[in-house]
Amino acid sequence: MLARLARRGGGAAARPRHFSDDRIARATRGQVAMRQFGYDPLSGASMHAPHVAVIGAGFVGVNTALALLQRNIASRVTLTDVDEEKCLGEVLDLEDAGTPGSIAVATPEAAGQADVIVITAGRGPRARG
């Protein structure tokens, strides 16, 4: 869009107000990719924040879910793990964090219906011996 404005001879005066040079410079590849889900992280506007399912309630999975909620990237995050008690405990902890959006435990079937699925599950418990 900015290249089109420059070709027209527009420049900074012709740019829409919500585009400033510092905001454009802060755009990362991940932020640009988020636009495909209807979320514009530069303006904070969200037509449809995606439902993200995180598979694996270990350290990486829980911190991924927390980051998604804190940055308001996902309106709904579900956590799935083979250890259902641990998964429920982690979801209860994340609910107490006071982040916007919702967090819940999901079955693998329900997680498969999410807009985005993040797999953070490891290979499982290791055999000792």
Side-chain angles (χ1 to χ4, degrees), residues 57 62 69 79 84-99 103-105:
V62 170
L69 290 170
L79 207 57
E84 294 174 2
E85 289 181 12
K86 178 181 180 0
C87 189
L88 178 61
E90 296 294 351
V91 166
L92 292 173
D93 287 344
L94 287 170
E95 284 177 347
D96 290 340
T99 56
I103 178 86
V105 176

Side-chain angles (χ1 to χ4, degrees), residues 32-113:
V32 172
M34 287 302 298
R35 291 194 186 112
Q36 68 184 329
F37 298 111
Y39 177 75
D40 184 7
L42 295 178
S43 68
S46 156
M47 296 180 296
H48 167 71
H51 166 208
V52 179
V54 179
I55 311 295
F59 182 76
V60 175
V62 170
N63 282 297
T64 300
L66 181 63
L68 289 168
L69 290 170
Q70 282 180 336
R71 295 177 185 211
N72 205 18
I73 292 173
S75 61
R76 181 172 175 226
V77 175
T78 55
L79 207 57
T80 304
D81 197 87
V82 293
D83 186 356
E84 294 174 2
E85 289 181 12
K86 178 181 180 0
C87 189
L88 178 61
E90 296 294 351
V91 166
L92 292 173
D93 287 344
L94 287 170
E95 284 177 347
D96 290 340
T99 56
S102 68
I103 178 86
V105 176
T107 63
E109 292 80 20
Q113 301 302 314

Side-chain angles (χ1 to χ4, degrees), residues 1 10-11 22-23 29 36 38 44 56 65-66 71 99 101 103-104 112 116 120 122 126:
M1 179 175 165
D22 63 327
R23 283 187 147 181
R29 188 175 310 180
Q36 68 184 329
L66 181 63
R71 295 177 185 211
T99 56
I103 178 86
V116 178
T120 63
R126 296 179 182 103

